[in-house]
Amino acid sequence: MNAPAAYDRIGVGYRRIRRPDPRLDALISSALRGARTVVNVGAGAGSYEPEGAEVTAVDPSQVMLDQHPGRRKVKASASRLPFADGAFDAAMAVLTVHHWPDPHQGLAELRRVARRQVVFTWDPAHRPQLWMLEDYLPEIRALEESRFTPLAEVVEALDAHTVLPFRIPHDFTDGFQVAYWRRPELYLDPTVRQASSTFATLPPEVVEPAIERLRADLASGEWHRRNADLLDRDSMDYGYRLVIAGERPAAG
């Protein structure tokens, strides 16, 4: 949500696939409770912004800002936020730190401009990983591990006091990479894949043969035999974490 070239390309129609999930929304909203002014860095189309707060959306991609429904929108990089020290009650960043040109500088900027920081990210050291990475596209693992800042570094950079796990529900509505862990047929849809920066970043000559192997395994039943243990699960922990730092949320 903060790589201008990528999101100028893949951002068209983004809101249709990347629909905020109410369970993740509840977790993020709780972490932002009591914040009256919020800056959403790498805001994209505005997912998970708290109701009732004055939100300023920041993104380097004009395509994404054009889809954002808010009135306060600023085209800028996370590494150089054009705001005064302590300008906001809270800063939020949802699945965007891995797109920042300098993640540590961006995290420092969150601390500079806000008294509370709420960051939703992925821990590249977590296991298990999605079966797509294991069986079809190990190139995703290489890409993700090269660009995601290790969770421990995010926690240290923010001096965070809370790290909350978020298990991905089987009917998760926000179509990022792991959303369809129990609905593998949806990965066959190029529109679904286009809304994930990982799939959109990898070249077609890598992605398309892997998708054809998945298609064949679904048709033969091999995927279901190999992943039978997933079929009765309601949620999976794939390493997604909400990191909270600075001023603590107001009591609920």
Side-chain angles (χ1 to χ4, degrees):
M1 295 181 191
N2 209 313
Y7 279 89
D8 283 347
R9 177 167 52 87
I10 77 172
V12 178
Y14 189 85
R15 287 176 65 86
R16 185 168 66 85
I17 302 298
R18 300 295 296 270
R19 293 177 290 119
D21 186 273
R23 292 150 293 195
L24 180 54
D25 184 64
L27 185 69
I28 294 173
S29 294
S30 178
L32 291 168
R33 187 184 297 119
R36 294 172 298 172
T37 58
V38 177
V39 59
N40 186 5
V41 180
S47 297
Y48 306 110
E49 293 177 350
E51 292 185 8
E54 179 182 294
V55 178
T56 299
V58 175
D59 203 286
S61 167
Q62 191 60 50
V63 170
M64 299 310 298
L65 286 177
D66 287 346
Q67 295 184 70
H68 192 288
R71 293 184 294 109
R72 299 175 180 85
K73 297 186 279 189
V74 177
K75 187 175 181 181
S77 168
S79 299
R80 296 186 65 182
L81 297 176
F83 309 112
D85 295 359
F88 300 94
D89 292 335
M92 62 184 292
V94 177
L95 284 185
T96 177
V97 173
H98 58 293
H99 290 308
W100 297 354
D102 186 340
H104 287 85
Q105 176 61 28
L107 293 170
E109 283 287 270
L110 298 189
R111 296 185 72 180
R112 181 183 67 80
V113 303
R115 292 178 289 282
R116 186 190 317 169
Q117 300 81 40
V118 175
V119 174
F120 185 63
T121 188
W122 175 69
D123 181 6
H126 181 84
R127 297 296 183 274
Q129 294 184 339
L130 179 67
W131 50 262
M132 178 68 77
L133 283 63
E134 301 290 341
D135 300 329
Y136 299 97
L137 277 169
E139 294 86 354
I140 289 181
R141 181 192 295 115
L143 175 62
E144 298 289 62
E145 291 182 352
S146 71
R147 64 182 187 167
F148 267 89
T149 303
L151 180 66
E153 291 186 26
V154 175
V155 170
E156 182 179 8
L158 293 173
D159 191 22
H161 52 70
T162 303
V163 178
L164 301 174
F166 179 75
R167 298 177 64 88
I168 306 297
H170 72 92
D171 55 352
F172 194 58
T173 64
D174 191 343
F176 59 77
Q177 181 185 290
V178 303
Y180 310 112
W181 61 270
R182 214 184 82 177
R183 295 169 289 169
E185 65 282 354
L186 291 176
Y187 290 111
L188 305 180
D189 185 342
T191 303
V192 167
R193 297 197 303 274
Q194 187 67 16
S196 166
S197 67
T198 305
F199 283 109
T201 299
L202 292 172
E205 57 267 27
V206 171
V207 174
E208 290 173 5
I211 294 302
E212 288 309 308
R213 291 195 299 275
L214 173 59
R215 190 187 307 276
D217 285 352
L218 288 172
S220 69
E222 176 60 26
W223 183 92
H224 292 83
R225 286 190 291 272
R226 188 186 302 137
N227 297 284
D229 62 315
L230 298 180
L231 300 179
D232 293 327
R233 297 194 183 195
D234 291 330
S235 64
M236 280 289 291
D237 183 359
Y238 281 120
Y240 289 84
R241 299 291 183 264
L242 188 69
V243 181
I244 308 171
E247 183 178 85
R248 292 180 180 270

